[in-house]
């Protein structure tokens, strides 16, 4: 599916996981994002492609100087749909191979990022068929992009629903209390765990210690 998003600075999208690949373009806004075990800043103009079944979150920072709404565009699609539907189409062989072989997340830069951004913004006013054609053109840009930074997901992350629910509660607690002097013990107690178990759990799921 395709979605255009507009929201206030400070909006937080909790740590979550889904089988679909996700293409994300940030037209306006900045903050921190976690893809698998990689925690980094993102800024206006960022274009990322995240493989399926890789946990991720986006946290948009409040900006006292420029409090205008943040805007982003998202496409999600299943890789098996694309590879099965178009695997026998020679004209799409490069795109099919690109999707089927994708292992790492990617940050797209340069001309390809600008072209993808323009097509995503245009999709807002397009019909369903026009959007699908734009989607194919976007995949062509992704598969041929020369300025790309690969983001390696270098540890095993959980897809257990209970663990994902618990880690979402932790990140929500951190976001709600980021301007307060909260402790490791308080975060562990918030999800009903002792400190030792909480530290082990947090590192296994996110690839980072809680202090990181």
């Amino acid at each position: 599916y395709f979605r255009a998003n507009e929201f206030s600075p400070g909006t937080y999208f909790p740590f979550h996981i889904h089988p679909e690949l996700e293409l994300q373009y940030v037209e306006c806004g900045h903050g921190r994002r976690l893809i698998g075990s990689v925690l980094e800043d993102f800024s206006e103009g960022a274009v990322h492609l995240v493989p399926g079944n890789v946990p991720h979150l986006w946290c948009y920072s409040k900006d006292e100087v420029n409090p205008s709404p943040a805007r982003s565009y998202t496409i999600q699609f299943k890789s098996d749909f694309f590879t099965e539907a178009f695997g026998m189409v020679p004209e799409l062989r490069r795109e099919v191979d690109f999707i089927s072989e994708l292992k790492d997340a990617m940050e797209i830069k340069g001309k390809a990022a600008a072209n993808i951004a323009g097509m995503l913004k245009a999709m807002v006013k397009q019909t369903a068929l026009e959007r699908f054609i734009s989607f194919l053109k976007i995949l062509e840009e992704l598969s041929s992009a020369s300025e790309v930074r690969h983001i390696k997901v270098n540890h095993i992350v959980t897809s257990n629903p209970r663990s994902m629910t618990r880690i979402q509660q932790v990140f929500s607690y951190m976001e709600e209390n980021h301007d307060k002097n909260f402790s490791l013990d308080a975060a562990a107690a918030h999800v009903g765990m002792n400190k030792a178990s909480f530290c082990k759990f947090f590192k296994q799921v996110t690839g980072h210690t809680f202090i990181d």
Side-chain angles (χ1 to χ4, degrees):
Y1 71 86
F2 166 76
R3 183 177 64 210
N5 313 284
E6 185 167 301
F7 36 80
S8 60
T11 297
Y12 164 77
F13 296 93
F15 202 55
H16 63 288
I17 187 171
H18 47 73
E20 296 84 6
L21 289 86
E22 180 170 307
L23 176 66
Q24 179 88 224
Y25 162 56
V26 179
E27 182 180 15
C28 180
H30 63 94
R32 299 276 277 173
R33 61 119 183 90
L34 180 65
I35 300 177
S37 62
V38 182
L39 179 65
E40 294 179 323
D41 294 330
F42 70 87
S43 58
E44 181 176 304
V47 177
H48 291 92
L49 179 64
V50 182
N53 297 312
V54 174
H56 52 281
L57 70 83
W58 301 80
C59 183
Y60 284 80
S61 300
K62 294 181 179 179
D63 192 334
E64 303 300 334
V65 177
N66 180 21
S68 59
R71 288 189 300 275
S72 69
Y73 302 79
T74 304
I75 290 180
Q76 289 184 357
F77 64 99
K78 293 183 178 180
S79 61
D80 55 355
F81 154 74
F82 186 79
T83 54
E84 289 175 11
F86 298 104
M88 300 300 293
V89 180
E91 291 80 3
L92 292 172
R93 173 51 51 193
R94 183 176 62 185
E95 289 75 15
V96 169
D97 290 344
F98 170 76
I99 294 300
S100 62
E101 296 170 4
L102 185 67
K103 297 293 186 297
D104 299 330
M106 298 168 54
E107 180 180 6
I108 299 89
K109 300 183 177 183
K111 183 179 179 180
N115 291 341
I116 290 169
M119 286 187 281
L120 284 169
K121 288 189 287 186
M123 286 172 71
V124 173
K125 297 182 179 181
Q126 291 178 343
T127 66
L129 179 58
E130 289 170 337
R131 285 180 178 176
F132 187 71
I133 294 171
S134 293
F135 169 66
L136 294 179
K137 291 180 178 179
I138 286 171
L139 288 177
E140 181 183 25
E141 287 286 347
L142 288 170
S143 64
S144 60
S146 58
E147 294 184 57
V148 171
R149 185 173 69 92
H150 292 273
I151 303 170
K152 292 188 176 296
V153 182
N154 55 10
H155 79 287
I156 298 174
V157 292
T158 183
S159 59
N160 180 279
R162 183 180 179 186
S163 295
M164 291 305 297
T165 297
R166 179 170 280 172
I167 204 67
Q168 287 176 5
Q169 292 172 344
V170 174
F171 277 108
S172 295
Y173 174 79
M174 293 166 64
E175 173 64 17
E176 292 166 3
N177 296 277
H178 73 275
D179 57 345
K180 303 179 179 65
N181 188 24
F182 64 89
S183 66
L184 170 59
D185 292 293
H190 181 72
V191 291
M193 302 178 74
N194 63 50
K195 185 165 70 173
S197 296
F198 175 79
C199 289
K200 182 179 180 180
F201 161 76
F202 193 91
K203 182 65 179 291
Q204 285 178 336
V205 175
T206 69
H208 293 271
T209 68
F210 181 76
I211 300 303
D212 289 340

